[in-house]
């Protein structure tokens, strides 16, 4: 695997991890409320979300990149 491909995959892994962590935390807090919210509950929501988010970003990134380039083509 060339370095550019590896760099892109690691970037996507990190972005999908951070985004799914934040979104699952907010969603878990909204569902459970402050009284029932706990780190273990958050993590149990985050890991499956990340398992979906990472392949999604790998598939969606090239598509979104092409659309963005078309929108901003001068």
């Amino acid at each position: 695997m060339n370095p550019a491909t590896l760099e892109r995959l690691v970037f996507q892994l990190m972005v999908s991890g951070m985004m799914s962590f934040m979104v699952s935390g907010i969603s878990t807090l909204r569902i459970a409320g402050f009284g029932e919210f706990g780190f273990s509950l958050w993590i149990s929501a985050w890991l499956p979300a990340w398992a979906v988010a990472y392949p999604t970003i790998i598939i969606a990134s090239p598509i979104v990149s092409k659309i963005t380039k078309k929108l901003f083509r001068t």
Side-chain angles (χ1 to χ4, degrees), residues 20 23 55:
S20 60
V23 171

Side-chain angles (χ1 to χ4, degrees), residues 24-34 36-37 41 45:
S24 66
I26 292 166
S27 298
T28 303
L29 182 61
R30 289 196 68 223
I31 298 282
F34 283 105
E36 299 295 320
F37 183 80
L41 184 61

Side-chain angles (χ1 to χ4, degrees), residues 32-53:
F34 283 105
E36 299 295 320
F37 183 80
F39 190 72
S40 63
L41 184 61
W42 185 352
I43 293 299
S44 69
W46 172 54
L47 290 174
W50 195 6
V52 173

Side-chain angles (χ1 to χ4, degrees), residues 6 8 11 14 18 23-26 29 31-32 41 43 45-46 48 53 62 64-66 70 73:
L6 182 59
R8 186 181 74 249
F11 174 81
M14 293 173 70
M18 286 187 251
V23 171
S24 66
I26 292 166
L29 182 61
I31 298 282
L41 184 61
I43 293 299
W46 172 54
V64 172
S65 180
K66 287 178 185 177
K70 285 183 180 182
R73 190 175 293 155

